[in-house]
Amino acid sequence: FRRENMVKAEEALVSMCEERARMIQDQFAVSVNHVHALGILISTFYYQKQPPALDQETFAYYTAKTAFERPLLNGVAYAERVVHSQRETFESQQGWTIMTIKREPSPIQDEYAPVIYSQETVSHIGALDMMSSEEDRENILRARATGKAVLTKPFRLLKSNHLGVVLTFPVYYAGLPEDATVEQRVQTTAGYLGGAFDVESLVENLLRQLAGSQDIEVNVYDITNTTESLIMYGPQDPEGYMPLSHVSMLDFGDPFRKHQMHCRYREKP
Ligand code: WA2
């Protein structure tokens, strides 16, 4: 009977883990899809309309009204690509100075990515040069070179200090050919649209609502670097019942990054 119970317990663990992995992956995917659409909205109404039909007030209104479409993102923002020769003109038009993430006026750089539009929930990144954040900068460079949505490794987000990852989509000026070279992509980049997945609080909320959440312990890892897996969610030093565990695959849509979910019982089943 003992052995039979263990088989049942293992089956239950596998199904709870797979359910959780599928749920997080799906909520991730719908959030990413909606940010994609928001990128097209910016390109259409800001860059392809003369005069532009988008401003901070309109962006804040639209993103607040559609926030439910991006359940795992704490907010979205748009950073414009500004090369140094345009900095003065840009700053005088905006009426503010480009700041670093440490909230100091930005020193001279080849180029900047100051946030010009932000959802109210992330208004603290307004006017900040996202290229002054190491993880954001890597995302920006990879997004514009590939033309695809990209994710950072897990890191502590600004302000909340919660563990999360940042999603970045490139926005291009009209006329970028389908088979553009990396150089053409960079030249035609208008800016970067993205947001932060607050994994620590939003994934926590999602998992807490599921049956069995008292009984199982869940970790999500970024396993991109096979010799150094990075914790993205869950306890730093898992303490659950180690003899039984299950690993579910996760696909967050950035082929450069690999993720896994590990599940186990908190106590011997
Ligand atoms: N958004 C919110 N919190 C953050 C953060 C971020 N980046 N980086 C660190 N904490 C405007 O890729 C462009 C958003 C970056 C997009």
Side-chain angles (χ1 to χ4, degrees):
F1 286 114
R2 204 52 221 132
R3 161 112 226 120
E4 225 168 274
N5 287 343
M6 286 308 271
V7 170
K8 284 241 162 66
E10 178 157 27
E11 278 172 7
L13 182 66
V14 171
S15 95
M16 285 191 284
C17 202
E18 293 293 323
E19 178 195 15
R20 279 156 177 76
R22 213 173 329 111
M23 184 162 232
I24 288 171
Q25 191 176 293
D26 290 351
Q27 296 232 1
F28 219 89
V30 298
S31 303
V32 172
N33 286 346
H34 200 265
V35 177
H36 186 187
L38 200 49
I40 294 164
L41 183 125
I42 291 177
S43 153
T44 309
F45 291 97
Y46 189 52
Y47 294 111
Q48 286 171 240
K49 237 179 139 58
Q50 216 38 257
L54 189 60
D55 57 14
Q56 168 57 31
E57 192 190 333
T58 311
F59 186 86
Y61 178 83
Y62 183 83
T63 52
K65 291 286 186 188
T66 55
F68 71 95
E69 304 267 20
R70 305 175 300 271
L72 294 184
L73 283 169
N74 68 4
V76 286
Y78 180 66
E80 196 161 51
R81 175 173 190 238
V82 177
V83 296
H84 184 70
S85 61
Q86 296 167 351
R87 177 173 177 171
E88 246 187 65
T89 316
F90 173 85
E91 289 183 335
S92 72
Q93 273 169 3
Q94 297 288 334
W96 43 257
T97 303
I98 300 174
M99 307 295 271
T100 67
I101 55 163
K102 291 183 174 146
R103 310 202 151 273
E104 292 153 349
S106 174
I108 295 176
Q109 305 286 346
D110 290 347
E111 57 174 306
Y112 314 85
V115 171
I116 58 169
Y117 299 140
S118 56
Q119 190 175 335
E120 248 166 283
T121 49
V122 290
S123 59
H124 54 278
I125 64 169
L128 302 188
D129 172 16
M130 296 319 293
M131 288 180 113
S132 67
S133 151
E134 188 191 326
E135 292 84 0
D136 280 279
R137 179 192 174 83
E138 281 175 17
N139 245 24
I140 283 169
L141 299 179
R142 203 155 62 82
R144 73 185 187 188
T146 60
K148 303 253 160 63
V150 300
L151 294 172
T152 64
K153 65 181 181 225
F155 71 107
R156 300 257 156 217
L157 303 173
L158 292 168
K159 193 158 175 193
S160 72
N161 212 34
H162 287 169
L163 201 53
V165 297
V166 167
L167 164 75
T168 302
F169 267 102
V171 175
Y172 299 101
Y173 296 115
L176 183 72
E178 200 59 54
D179 59 350
T181 63
V182 170
E183 197 152 299
Q184 280 175 314
R185 290 191 177 282
V186 174
Q187 286 310 311
T188 318
T189 298
Y192 321 97
L193 176 65
F197 284 97
D198 186 329
V199 176
E200 190 168 342
S201 80
L202 298 177
V203 169
E204 174 74 40
N205 263 327
L206 185 65
L207 294 182
R208 224 193 4 239
Q209 293 165 21
L210 298 176
S213 62
Q214 305 293 329
D215 306 327
I216 74 162
E217 210 167 78
V218 174
N219 276 98
V220 177
Y221 296 97
D222 177 324
I223 56 155
T224 307
N225 183 344
T226 47
T227 59
E228 183 206 14
S229 74
L230 303 170
I231 198 157
M232 185 160 153
Y233 173 79
Q236 196 58 240
D237 305 293
E239 288 185 337
Y241 177 70
M242 292 306 182
L244 266 192
S245 69
H246 183 72
V247 177
S248 295
M249 292 301 156
L250 284 168
D251 182 356
F252 291 142
D254 178 354
F256 181 77
R257 300 244 175 245
K258 300 274 174 268
H259 299 91
Q260 270 181 355
M261 177 178 281
H262 291 207
C263 304
R264 72 203 74 73
Y265 286 104
R266 286 186 208 282
E267 287 165 10
K268 188 172 198 265

